[in-house]
């Protein structure tokens, strides 16, 4: 069903298609030998024009665990982009060497453009402040694994909701599920973009925008913390003023439900105190591992080996 398809934003896949990916990821998690050699002879190109730890390494780990191989760059300074080569030419080249491309780029819309020039499928690993669909698959799989189903939940998003592409992708994706409520907790300057709130109004999804994490905490089933995205600020003073607006610590955790889960796409800076890591409700490191399983499911599905 997904063979040969690109993934640019979460809406590219139907709920049924995402559900099949989650089932496959769960199967791989339960039996790590499943699909082990399925991608032998296949090549993944990772083109990272921005820094990454989890997304790049988990894609590479996923491809290697499937028996395939990887090539690419983690720093555009070491590629011919630094000599002025266009994105269109770079992806054409990568597609002539590899079977599938994973790309992160600081420009919104770069992944869509790449997919128009590439004969090989393109997976968006983050385009500026726009979308990060494989993080969304990771987040949804984590909710499903830890809370049973993606339904009847109140999800709080906290921090930099303006530049945080993972928030935009996840909010759009969650709006397609039943009985979901959302709470957007941020300073006014970092509020969730209007196109997201307009979409939620249109789809009649219940949501609030608030400044108070403490007041919202008791109502949440999922708290999605985010880092203030320094690299997307025009002004360092604004970043310094806003960066520590919300710090989740043990005291605030005491306000949450027993069944609450704390997610974070990572990397974190100060927004979750290290003392929270020991709380069984802190799920962000498990979430990062689910990211590898869902990327294994995605690669094997797009390459048509399952
Ligand atoms: N979550 C995420 O995208 O992490 P990286 O920036 O380390 O890839």
């Amino acid at each position: 069903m997904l063979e040969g398809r690109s993934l640019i934003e979460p809406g590219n896949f139907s709920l049924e298609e995402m559900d099949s990916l989650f089932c496959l990821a769960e199967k791989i998690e339960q039996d790590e030998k499943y699909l082990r050699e399925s991608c032998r002879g296949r090549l993944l190109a990772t083109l990272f024009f921005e820094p990454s730890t989890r997304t790049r390494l988990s894609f590479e780990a996923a491809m290697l665990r499937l028996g395939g191989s990887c090539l690419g760059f983690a720093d555009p300074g070491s590629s011919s982009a630094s000599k002025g080569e266009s994105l269109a030419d770079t992806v054409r080249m990568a597609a002539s060497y590899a079977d599938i491309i994973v790309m992160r780029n600081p420009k919104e819309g770069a992944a869509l453009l790449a997919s128009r020039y590439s004969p090989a499928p393109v997976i968006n690993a983050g385009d500026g402040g726009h979308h990060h669909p494989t993080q969304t698959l990771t987040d949804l799989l984590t909710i499903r694994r830890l809370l049973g189903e993606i339904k009847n939940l109140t999800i709080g998003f906290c921090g930099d909701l303006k530049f945080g592409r993972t928030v935009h992708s996840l909010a759009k994706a969650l709006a397609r599920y039943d009985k979901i409520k959302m709470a957007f907790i941020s300073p006014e300057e970092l509020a969730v973009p209007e196109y997201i709130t307009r979409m939620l109004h249109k789809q009649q999804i219940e949501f609030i925008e608030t400044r108070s994490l403490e007041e919202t905490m008791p109502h949440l089933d999922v708290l999605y913390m985010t880092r203030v995205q320094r690299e997307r600020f025009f002004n360092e003073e604004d970043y310094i003023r806003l960066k520590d607006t919300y710090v989740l610590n043990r005291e605030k955790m005491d306000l949450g439900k027993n069944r609450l889960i704390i997610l974070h796409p990572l990397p974190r800076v100060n927004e979750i105190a290290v003392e929270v890591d020991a709380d069984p409700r802190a799920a962000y490191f498990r979430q990062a591992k689910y990211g590898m399983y869902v990327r294994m499911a995605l690669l094997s599905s797009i390459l048509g080996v399952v």
Side-chain angles (χ1 to χ4, degrees):
M1 231 175 2
L2 297 182
E3 186 173 354
R5 304 243 307 260
S6 288
L7 175 60
I8 308 304
E9 59 154 300
N12 294 150
F13 291 173
S14 68
L15 287 185
E16 292 71 28
E17 287 167 338
M18 292 205 287
D19 206 50
S20 321
L21 280 178
F22 300 145
C23 290
L24 185 55
E26 284 165 2
K27 221 164 163 178
I28 296 168
E29 184 200 351
Q30 280 152 21
D31 175 7
E32 292 204 358
K33 291 199 190 104
Y34 184 61
L35 297 181
R36 188 180 257 177
E37 291 300 315
S38 61
C39 286
R40 181 146 304 282
R42 303 299 186 96
L43 268 173
L44 164 71
T46 53
L47 313 182
F48 276 67
F49 294 84
E50 268 193 337
S52 166
T53 296
R54 273 146 297 275
T55 311
R56 189 172 65 83
L57 295 187
S58 64
F59 262 116
E60 291 187 0
M63 192 56 166
L64 295 171
R65 282 170 178 251
L66 293 167
S69 306
C70 307
L71 73 170
F73 54 83
D75 170 12
S78 68
S79 80
S80 285
S82 64
K83 300 179 207 160
E85 185 165 49
S86 70
L87 181 62
D89 287 357
T90 303
V91 294
R92 274 194 192 110
M93 287 300 98
S96 66
Y97 306 137
D99 302 294
I100 185 163
I101 294 171
V102 173
M103 188 184 81
R104 172 171 290 185
N105 193 286
K107 292 197 181 118
E108 284 86 2
L112 182 63
L113 186 140
S115 70
R116 288 186 177 149
Y117 285 94
S118 170
V122 173
I123 300 174
N124 182 8
D127 60 328
H130 196 209
H131 279 298
H132 192 347
T134 65
Q135 181 64 49
T136 302
L137 293 174
T138 301
D139 302 338
L140 293 174
L141 175 63
T142 308
I143 294 172
R144 182 177 143 125
R145 289 287 289 109
L146 301 183
L147 296 180
E149 56 181 350
I150 310 165
K151 189 182 180 180
N152 245 330
L153 298 171
T154 302
I155 290 107
F157 295 91
C158 180
D160 181 352
L161 311 186
K162 177 179 179 184
F163 295 117
R165 58 192 170 203
T166 62
V167 170
H168 308 157
S169 287
L170 183 58
K172 270 184 93 169
L174 282 167
R176 299 162 78 193
Y177 288 87
D178 285 342
K179 296 184 185 157
I180 296 290
K181 294 181 194 167
M182 301 187 206
F184 297 105
I185 309 149
S186 75
E188 202 167 337
E189 289 118 303
L190 298 180
V192 70
E194 215 182 302
Y195 83 89
I196 300 277
T197 52
R198 263 204 314 268
M199 174 213 55
L200 296 176
H201 275 304
K202 205 169 156 191
Q203 291 183 231
Q204 298 181 320
I205 308 291
E206 204 176 308
F207 72 93
I208 57 159
E209 290 187 87
T210 173
R211 309 282 161 257
S212 174
L213 176 57
E214 285 86 344
E215 281 173 21
T216 315
M217 199 74 181
H219 307 287
L220 301 178
D221 302 298
V222 178
L223 173 61
Y224 196 89
M225 291 297 294
T226 62
R227 169 181 71 95
V228 175
Q229 308 258 311
R230 180 183 207 155
E231 65 276 28
R232 313 220 186 276
F233 274 69
F234 293 112
N235 178 334
E236 181 73 4
E237 276 169 31
D238 286 344
Y239 168 72
I240 290 167
R241 185 168 50 80
L242 294 167
K243 71 185 174 71
D244 293 327
T245 312
Y246 301 102
V247 179
L248 182 65
N249 54 18
R250 213 178 275 151
E251 215 180 337
K252 293 193 187 93
M253 287 296 286
D254 287 343
L255 302 170
K257 294 179 186 174
N258 289 338
R259 209 173 162 258
L260 169 72
I261 57 169
I262 308 297
L263 302 185
H264 190 312
L266 303 178
R268 76 167 144 190
V269 186
N270 281 330
E271 60 281 357
I272 301 182
V274 173
E275 67 190 20
V276 176
D277 297 357
D279 190 305
R281 296 170 293 175
Y284 28 92
F285 294 120
R286 282 174 280 168
Q287 178 186 2
K289 188 156 188 188
Y290 289 131
M292 181 182 70
Y293 296 125
V294 87
R295 288 175 177 119
M296 288 175 81
L298 182 66
L299 289 174
S300 53
S301 301
I302 292 179
L303 289 171
V305 298
V306 278

